[in-house]
Amino acid sequence: MKSDFNAYNYLLQHDIKPSVQRLAIINYLYEHRTHPTADEIYAGLIDQIPTLSKTTVYNTLNLFYQQAAILSLTIDDKNVRFDIDTSDHAHFKCLNCGKVFDVPAVLDSVTAIALEHGFIVAEKHLYLKGYCSSCNESPNK
Amino acid sequence: MKSDFNAYNYLLQHDIKPSVQRLAIINYLYEHRTHPTADEIYAGLIDQIPTLSKTTVYNTLNLFYQQAAILSLTIDDKNVRFDIDTSDHAHFKCLNCGKVFDVPAVLDSVTAIALEHGFIVAEKHLYLKGYCSSCNESPNK
DNA sequence: ATCAAATTTGTAATCATTACAATTTTATAT
DNA sequence: ATATAAAATTGTAATGATTACAAATTTGAT
């Protein structure tokens, strides 16, 4: 079963010129919905593209973000994480295992409030932190 | 007109032993609702406490955060920002001037959704990004 | 095939934050 | 008060994510 995701067209739709590196990175994000860091993406692709530079990963992710092809998450105070899903949803980070999960959420009301205050909203980030069901059942500390 | 904020009691209420440095830092946060960074707090207090160390500022802010006396904001991907207001509210960061504003918000419904997914929620952060009314009226670029 | 522009790469720099050991201050027991 | 232990503060060095930058490579257009 092959992926129905057309990385090439996805990049073109966001005015990004495709390249081997860019296609690999966007595909990685499509296949790994774990909200990976730049370093994790680099580690996941270095075998496939042995010449890959970490700078390219950072440059490319910044480009994707500027073109609104991906989200940039600051739920972690150490690293920025990335998400190919740009639809309206929230994120939950487990303080025990560190995993970041998706949580369905509608944030229209908050945008409306911001508008009432004269703010023009370009991005909305809802970050929840606590303990996921696995860690809650068998706490590791 | 003097402040009605009792920094001493505020620290005691959060099981924090008061000290000159801790009182100065919590007072700074009470008086500066700009969501300052550790570095900004240090710069704001070094004249008043010439022996102050930046490490102490970081240690103290981490202590305050652990004791739930302040919020730790990751709306900025460069620095962590701090907020003495621990009540339920959102934050808006202007992508032009960089200022971080408070926005009233109620996030109970999202907490409920997270609970349905088996998550135990300890913290909620709603970050909006865009352009504030000042920057919107006279764009700087 | 040639030249210019865009992309990628590797290395070094930046900068926020933390680690750690030494010093100073505070609290407690005698 | 004084000695002593514990806690807090300090300064310096280390860490680690990200960016700056210049060189090398690739791509695209003539």
Side-chain angles (χ1 to χ4, degrees), chain B residues 21-141:
Chain B
Q21 292 84 349
R22 291 172 178 176
L23 290 167
I25 292 171
I26 201 67
N27 265 317
Y28 186 92
L29 284 168
Y30 181 81
E31 289 163 7
H32 299 83
R33 301 306 184 100
T34 53
H35 318 92
T37 64
D39 205 63
E40 287 168 351
I41 295 169
Y42 173 81
L45 293 176
I46 189 61
D47 286 341
Q48 173 183 333
I49 307 175
T51 62
L52 185 63
S53 164
K54 204 171 281 188
T55 298
T56 299
V57 176
Y58 278 102
N59 287 344
T60 302
L61 291 168
N62 287 338
L63 174 66
F64 289 179
Y65 169 68
Q66 285 164 25
Q67 298 301 114
I70 62 175
L71 297 183
S72 166
L73 309 180
T74 57
I75 194 170
D76 201 316
D77 57 337
K78 299 295 174 197
N79 316 310
V80 177
R81 294 180 168 278
F82 299 93
D83 191 348
I84 200 176
D85 180 1
T86 58
S87 70
D88 205 5
H89 67 291
H91 294 99
F92 178 94
K93 183 187 177 189
C94 179
L95 297 171
N96 185 246
C97 67
K99 290 201 191 96
V100 176
F101 302 88
D102 289 322
V103 177
V106 178
L107 302 174
D108 293 339
S109 63
V110 185
T111 307
I113 292 170
L115 286 173
E116 288 168 19
H117 288 251
F119 297 126
I120 293 177
V121 178
E123 290 183 43
K124 293 170 282 181
H125 299 269
L126 177 54
Y127 301 138
L128 307 177
K129 301 184 187 185
Y131 298 93
C132 72
S133 51
S134 303
C135 291
N136 182 30
E137 285 164 9
S138 54
N140 188 21
K141 179 144 175 295

Side-chain angles (χ1 to χ4, degrees), chain A residues 5-23:
Chain A
F5 176 63
N6 190 321
Y8 196 90
N9 285 342
Y10 189 83
L11 294 186
L12 288 184
Q13 283 159 14
H14 291 88
D15 290 315
I16 299 164
K17 210 188 300 181
S19 73
V20 169
Q21 292 84 349
R22 290 171 180 177
L23 289 166

Side-chain angles (χ1 to χ4, degrees), chain A residues 34-35 81 92-101 132 134:
Chain A
T34 52
H35 318 92
R81 295 179 168 276
F92 178 93
K93 183 187 176 191
C94 179
L95 297 171
N96 186 246
C97 66
K99 290 201 192 97
V100 176
F101 302 88
C132 72
S134 302

Side-chain angles (χ1 to χ4, degrees), chain A:
Chain A
M1 177 168 58
K2 64 189 280 215
S3 167
D4 59 343
F5 176 63
N6 190 321
Y8 196 90
N9 285 342
Y10 189 83
L11 294 186
L12 288 184
Q13 283 159 14
H14 291 88
D15 290 315
I16 299 164
K17 210 188 300 181
S19 73
V20 169
Q21 292 84 349
R22 290 171 180 177
L23 289 166
I25 291 170
I26 202 67
N27 265 317
Y28 186 92
L29 284 168
Y30 181 80
E31 290 163 7
H32 299 83
R33 302 306 184 100
T34 52
H35 318 92
T37 64
D39 205 64
E40 287 167 352
I41 295 169
Y42 173 80
L45 294 176
I46 189 61
D47 286 342
Q48 173 184 334
I49 306 176
T51 61
L52 186 64
S53 165
K54 205 172 279 188
T55 299
T56 298
V57 176
Y58 276 103
N59 288 344
T60 301
L61 291 168
N62 287 339
L63 174 66
F64 289 178
Y65 169 67
Q66 285 165 26
Q67 298 300 115
I70 61 174
L71 296 183
S72 166
L73 309 181
T74 58
I75 195 170
D76 201 315
D77 59 337
K78 300 293 175 196
N79 316 312
V80 178
R81 295 179 168 276
F82 300 93
D83 191 349
I84 200 175
D85 181 1
T86 58
S87 70
D88 206 5
H89 67 291
H91 294 99
F92 178 93
K93 183 187 176 191
C94 179
L95 297 171
N96 186 246
C97 66
K99 290 201 192 97
V100 176
F101 302 88
D102 289 321
V103 177
V106 178
L107 302 174
D108 293 339
S109 64
V110 185
T111 307
I113 293 170
L115 284 173
E116 289 168 19
H117 288 252
F119 297 126
I120 293 177
V121 178
E123 290 182 42
K124 294 170 280 181
H125 299 269
L126 177 54
Y127 301 139
L128 307 177
K129 301 184 187 184
Y131 299 93
C132 72
S133 51
S134 302
C135 290
N136 182 30
E137 284 164 11
S138 54
N140 188 23
K141 181 146 177 292

